[in-house]
Amino acid sequence: MATTAGVAVTAAIGAAARAVGTDAGLLNDPFAAPLVRAAGVDHLARVVDDARFAADGAGHPRFLELCAANTRFVDEFLAAAGRAGLRQVVILASGLDTRPYRLWWPPGTTVFEIDRPEVLDLKADVLRELGADLRASRRAVGADLQQDWPAALRRVGFDAAAPTVWIAEQLLIGYLTPAAQDRLLRAVTAMSAVDSRLAADHLPTWTPLQLEAERSFVDGWRRHGLDVDLASLTHAGQYHYVPEYLAGAGWETVQRNVTDLLGAVGLPDRPRGESEFVPEYLTATRV
């Protein structure tokens, strides 16, 4: 698994956020730190080892805090869906997330994890070495989200007639081209029975202010040791605004901003004037 590849770096960043969030008491992922070290991104391993959770001028500890807050929010969203009777979950671009191992799941729950095979293989190897036990039926789907992933999902038992919980964390923020993002949302809609649910973070259509904020964000990571061109991993373009797109496709959406997300987990709001390179958040129900 090449750590300079976008999929590896972004997966490691998510794991670092969960490790740092675990140290701060926001969530409980005992597997996150070992996965960061296994991914081989030395700078992120140092961030985790230092447990730097307060802003230090680089910008990225605060970003990790936001990611951890979103993880906690999604964990609670999944618990609520389980209590409501949903037993089928699909995590899109699951990366190094370990929800099938670390969360409570009602009996009979199946969790499908979709990502590139090398990411899923690395995670499985590390968790096997750690002796991690599954708490739900887990089905790994090694597939590229820009290819025919719905067919791969159906081959391992996905039931389009059953309500599904879809999770898209750190995905709808420019990692797919505008056309590929539209295709993904159309596929999710087509495979969602009534009462299916979705949680995602997303960026609105790119603006000059956001592009400048992205450059500043990337420069902050690079100055502090992450020598990867994160900007090259995203696609600038005219994206549909995700809440409006889903509403037009038969979803009832609820929008949230960073203030809402941080407040829900007891964290202070961002200081005024902080970077505009932050996502928005939504939950949706298929009607």
Side-chain angles (χ1 to χ4, degrees):
M1 178 180 180
T3 57
T4 55
V7 63
V9 174
T10 53
I13 289 173
R18 289 185 291 275
V20 174
T22 296
D23 289 339
L26 281 177
L27 53 100
N28 181 29
D29 186 350
F31 313 114
L35 283 165
V36 173
R37 288 189 283 273
V41 183
D42 292 341
H43 173 67
L44 293 174
R46 289 195 300 273
V47 170
V48 171
D49 289 341
D50 293 344
R52 291 185 298 167
F53 208 74
D56 64 355
H60 55 265
R62 182 61 167 170
F63 172 76
L64 295 180
E65 182 181 76
L66 291 175
C67 292
N70 186 44
T71 296
R72 164 79 173 274
F73 177 81
V74 172
D75 287 353
E76 294 176 352
F77 176 81
L78 286 165
R83 290 192 294 269
L86 280 74
R87 297 293 183 267
Q88 182 167 256
V89 176
V90 178
I91 304 178
L92 300 163
S94 61
L96 300 178
D97 178 77
T98 61
R99 286 189 173 100
Y101 299 84
R102 66 178 179 81
L103 293 184
W104 165 86
W105 298 97
T109 300
T110 299
V111 181
F112 298 87
E113 292 191 300
I114 305 178
D115 213 313
R116 294 183 181 179
E118 61 268 26
V119 177
L120 297 173
D121 289 347
L122 171 66
K123 178 165 59 177
D125 290 345
V126 172
L127 292 175
R128 188 180 305 111
E129 291 175 2
L130 294 173
D133 294 323
L134 282 166
R135 300 183 177 185
S137 174
R138 173 183 177 264
R139 300 185 188 178
V141 184
D144 188 328
L145 289 174
Q146 303 206 56
Q147 305 299 325
D148 189 11
W149 59 270
L153 187 60
R154 287 190 290 267
R155 282 196 296 271
V156 294
F158 176 83
D159 181 5
T164 301
V165 189
W166 300 89
I167 303 300
E169 276 184 296
Q170 298 174 45
L171 174 63
L172 308 180
I173 57 174
Y175 288 132
L176 301 173
T177 65
Q181 180 167 300
D182 288 351
R183 287 196 300 271
L184 181 137
L185 293 175
R186 285 197 300 269
V188 166
T189 298
M191 300 172 77
S192 293
V194 171
D195 294 330
S196 292
R197 303 183 184 188
L198 179 147
D201 52 337
H202 64 99
L203 282 174
T205 300
W206 291 91
T207 66
L209 181 62
Q210 287 172 319
L211 289 171
E212 179 58 34
E214 183 197 27
R215 283 191 288 271
S216 176
F217 171 81
V218 170
D219 287 344
W221 282 92
R222 184 175 289 133
R223 285 195 308 272
H224 286 74
L226 184 62
D227 190 20
V228 175
D229 184 8
L230 293 173
S232 69
L233 308 180
T234 58
H235 304 271
Q238 294 298 312
Y239 288 83
H240 286 103
Y241 187 52
V242 174
E244 292 179 356
Y245 192 84
L246 289 174
W251 295 81
E252 186 176 89
T253 64
V254 176
Q255 301 178 51
R256 294 174 175 83
N257 58 28
V258 170
T259 300
D260 298 329
L261 199 74
L262 292 174
V265 297
L267 290 173
D269 197 4
R270 297 182 308 138
R272 288 189 178 182
E274 194 171 85
S275 171
E276 293 299 319
F277 187 62
V278 293
E280 298 178 6
Y281 306 87
L282 70 85
T283 56
T285 304
R286 188 78 165 94
V287 294

